[in-house]
Amino acid sequence: MFARRPTALSIASITLSLALGACGGSSSSKSSSSSSSAPSAASTSPAAAGGTAQPPAGAASGATKVVIVNYKYAPPALSVKAGTRVTFTNSDTAPHTATARDGSFDSGTLNQRQSRTLTLSRAGTYAYYCQFHAFMKATVKVS
């Protein structure tokens, strides 16, 4: 019996099939956004009570952004209506958090370029800070 040698075309076909099979037809990308509710609750924080996860803030009304840059929250003071989704984005190289002093919300650790969206649903004024850098402070007033 003679062994059949693969041709260049069959090798290319097998290589392409393996490459496409490895892709699985779907992409798996790591999202840097996750959702939780606050100050009435944070689904990522067991200490908080009664919230629901919300989609990341986008162009929809009721969405606000806070950027962490140069070890500061921008803006340092924020006023929003109850039910507003606030997205905290870390633009620094160091990890940061946005943690309410009264424990009502916590973004968890945000590494560089990560975001977390919290829904602020309970009226009040909330002072928050970074657990890693206590000198970083800001406030959000929810009405």
Side-chain angles (χ1 to χ4, degrees):
M1 289 238 157
F2 293 99
R4 201 167 191 207
R5 291 180 49 178
T7 65
L9 182 59
S10 64
I11 291 172
S13 177
I14 291 169
T15 303
L16 181 59
S17 295
L18 290 173
L20 290 174
C23 290
S26 67
S27 66
S28 67
S29 66
K30 228 180 184 185
S31 171
S32 65
S33 293
S34 64
S35 300
S36 61
S37 302
S40 65
S43 62
T44 57
S45 172
T52 58
Q54 296 294 322
S61 63
T64 300
K65 296 179 181 183
V66 174
V67 177
I68 303 167
V69 62
N70 296 325
Y71 292 83
K72 296 177 184 170
Y73 298 100
L78 182 64
S79 292
V80 299
K81 293 187 183 264
T84 299
R85 294 181 312 269
V86 179
T87 299
F88 295 89
T89 301
N90 182 1
S91 294
D92 275 341
T93 56
H96 296 292
T97 70
T99 305
R101 293 239 177 241
D102 68 359
S104 59
F105 67 88
D106 186 5
S107 68
T109 299
L110 299 173
N111 292 311
Q112 185 179 24
R113 291 186 292 271
Q114 280 189 314
S115 295
R116 190 104 349 108
T117 299
L118 308 174
T119 299
L120 305 180
S121 54
R122 189 176 299 157
T125 300
Y126 301 91
Y128 62 94
Y129 70 105
C130 174
Q131 289 180 336
F132 301 114
H133 311 98
F135 61 89
M136 293 176 56
K137 300 174 187 174
T139 57
V140 58
K141 181 179 180 181
V142 181
S143 55

